[in-house]
């Protein structure tokens, strides 16, 4: 049994802890840490783990570490894990800023071994896997339309935060779907929804082009009130594919036809989180990493930051550093 330490036991850290304890094989949650000690103790009690007094104690005492703290802490905590040679599943984003993301990549490259798997869990979602597999059956992609709506902004609303925290999922998953990198990005703003603080925009329309000329368009709307919803439609040369959610049936009864809409991502992506955790444990036991790499995280953070700059400075080119050999 792999002894896992979890840093951050909020929404997703708690969900991962429960899933590792009850649904995933090959691992046990041994240690948890949260800046809110009561929260950590509650989760520790629920999963039979011990509450640590610092992230350092988690890293020193565990065989592998899951980072689920706020975005701004991911890079420093990932560096702590790399220093100790611990395999890591780091929640997305790798970091909100490009400098921090590059620092993590430099440390992993120096180590010469991929220890970090990045929590872009949509790569494990049955819906996205089916969508990717179906693309060759309808020719080659021309445009991808994406919608990412949250009922409320979970960590406060800033335009750049929407890009580096929420739309970064689409930035990663479209690159993975298309096996292509981005060439340009432009964000279009309009009349802000009522919950947007002064000077911030919501929704945002993100328009990217890839190096092969595919247009990727993302509506990112984080105060949509009605629920959490993600859609993706791939328009190809010989047909159109729509992402299925695999969960919610259309119900016709009482004169109404409709579907339930989850309030949070946990409802829509439960299978993806579980598969991601199982894949991470299996890979770690084999001495490997899985899913999105630090390189994927660096590309996503560079792209999200270029998108944020485009709000004030207009269309941006996406310039990537050389890809280190470690990331194939
Ligand atoms: N992959 C996904 O779909 C997905 C979904 C949700 C959240 N996330 C990511 O997971 C991270 C956590 O999100 P959340 O929704 O659980 O947030 P949250 O606010 O519910 O939880 C964050 C937790 O971190 C704790 N914390 C604060 N400072 C800390 C520190 N120094 N060390 C350790 N813990 C500390 C907080 O007390 C809180 O309990 C974010 O980076 C978010 O982007 C990813």
């Amino acid at each position: 049994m792999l002894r896992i330490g979890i840093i951050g036991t909020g929404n997703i850290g708690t969900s991962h802890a429960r899933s590792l304890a009850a649904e995933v094989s090959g691992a046990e949650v041994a240690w948890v840490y949260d800046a809110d000690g009561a929260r950590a103790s509650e989760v520790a009690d629920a999963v039979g783990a011990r509450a640590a007094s610092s992230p350092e104690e988690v890293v020193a005492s565990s065989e592998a570490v899951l980072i689920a703290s706020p975005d701004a802490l991911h890079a420093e905590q990932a560096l702590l894990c790399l220093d100790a040679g611990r395999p890591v599943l780091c929640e997305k984003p790798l970091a909100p800023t490009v400098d921090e993301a590059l620092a993590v990549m430099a440390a992993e490259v120096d180590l010469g071994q991929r220890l970090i798997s990045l929590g872009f869990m949509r790569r494990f979602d049955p819906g996205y896997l089916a969508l990717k597999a179906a693309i060759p059956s309808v020719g080659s992609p021309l445009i991808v339309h994406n919608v990412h709506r949250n009922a409320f902004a979970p960590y406060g609303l800033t335009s750049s935060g929407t890009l580096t925290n929420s739309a970064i999922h689409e930035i990663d998953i479209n690159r993975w779907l298309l096996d292509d990198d981005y060439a340009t990005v432009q964000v279009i703003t309009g009349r802000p929804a009522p919950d947007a603080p002064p000077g911030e925009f919501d929704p945002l329309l993100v328009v990217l082009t890839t190096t092969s000329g595919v247009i990727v368009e993302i509506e990112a709307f984080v105060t949509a009130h009605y629920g959490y919803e993600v859609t993706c439609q791939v328009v190809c040369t010989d047909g159109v594919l729509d992402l299925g959610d695999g969960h919610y049936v259309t119900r016709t009864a009482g004169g109404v036809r409709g579907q339930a809409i989850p309030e949070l991502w946990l409802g829509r992506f439960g299978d993806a989180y579980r598969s991601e955790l199982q894949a991470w444990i299996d890979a770690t036991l084999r001495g490997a990493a899985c899913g999105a790499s630090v390189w994927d995280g660096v590309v996503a953070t560079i792209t999200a930051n270029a998108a944020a700059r485009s709000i004030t400075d207009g269309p941006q080119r996406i310039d990537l550093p050389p890809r280190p050999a470690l990331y194939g």
Side-chain angles (χ1 to χ4, degrees):
M1 292 289 263
L2 199 63
R3 292 167 58 75
I4 306 297
I6 299 182
I7 303 177
T9 51
N11 281 317
I12 198 78
T14 300
S15 163
H16 285 328
R18 289 182 182 279
S19 184
L20 281 166
E23 299 168 330
V24 171
S25 62
E28 64 184 11
V29 184
W31 291 90
V32 299
Y33 171 76
D34 195 289
D36 177 342
R39 175 101 209 163
S41 297
E42 193 184 315
V43 175
D45 288 348
V47 300
R50 295 173 65 182
S53 56
S54 65
E56 287 79 2
E57 189 182 2
V58 171
V59 173
S61 317
S62 311
E63 292 173 288
V65 178
L66 196 163
I67 298 173
S69 55
D71 295 6
L73 300 173
H74 292 181
E76 69 178 61
Q77 293 173 346
L79 288 170
L80 205 61
C81 295
L82 289 180
D83 265 356
R86 295 284 180 271
V88 184
L89 177 60
C90 178
E91 264 305 341
K92 44 58 61 177
L94 177 59
T97 69
V98 174
D99 284 351
E100 290 169 301
L102 289 174
V104 177
M105 183 165 81
E108 198 178 51
V109 168
D110 274 355
L111 205 62
Q113 185 189 358
R114 274 195 60 196
L115 281 183
I116 300 178
S117 304
L118 200 56
F120 281 124
M121 82 301 171
R122 292 191 192 180
R123 293 175 177 226
F124 296 90
D125 175 62
Y128 277 109
L129 286 163
L131 188 63
K132 185 174 169 78
I135 289 176
S137 69
V138 284
S140 52
L142 300 171
I143 303 186
V144 190
H145 301 288
N146 300 269
V147 165
H148 184 153
R149 300 191 190 120
N150 291 80
F152 56 93
Y155 320 108
L157 196 165
T158 63
S159 310
S160 62
T162 297
L163 296 161
T164 60
N165 181 277
S166 293
I168 201 160
H169 272 300
E170 276 71 24
I171 287 170
D172 179 69
I173 203 68
N174 281 270
R175 191 176 151 256
W176 171 87
L177 267 181
L178 299 169
D179 283 322
D180 204 352
D181 272 318
Y182 298 116
T184 65
V185 64
Q186 177 174 13
V187 172
I188 297 166
T189 57
R191 185 161 68 96
D195 293 355
E200 306 297 340
F201 295 96
D202 187 51
L204 301 173
L205 189 64
V206 185
V207 183
L208 299 125
T209 57
T210 70
T211 55
S212 76
V214 179
I215 299 166
V216 173
E217 171 244 335
I218 309 164
E219 174 202 310
F221 183 18
V222 296
T223 61
H225 292 175
Y226 73 90
Y228 176 77
E229 189 162 40
V230 164
T231 70
C232 180
Q233 182 183 66
V234 187
V235 180
C236 298
T237 47
D238 300 315
V240 174
L241 302 170
D242 281 285
L243 173 70
D245 66 20
H247 278 277
Y248 298 95
V249 294
T250 302
R251 176 175 179 275
T252 305
V256 175
R257 175 170 299 150
Q259 283 185 345
I261 296 172
E263 186 190 342
L264 273 180
W265 47 83
L266 290 169
R268 165 63 182 86
F269 285 112
D271 287 344
Y273 294 121
R274 273 188 295 280
S275 301
E276 171 191 63
L277 286 174
Q278 189 65 67
W280 177 56
I281 297 301
D282 294 347
T284 303
L285 287 168
R286 290 195 313 272
C290 70
S293 68
V294 164
W295 170 252
D296 296 316
V298 163
V299 172
T301 294
I302 287 174
T303 307
N305 277 272
R309 273 198 310 281
S310 89
I311 294 175
T312 48
D313 300 354
Q316 302 284 308
R317 282 186 47 80
I318 311 277
D319 292 316
L320 299 178
R323 179 178 175 137
L326 181 64
Y327 306 108

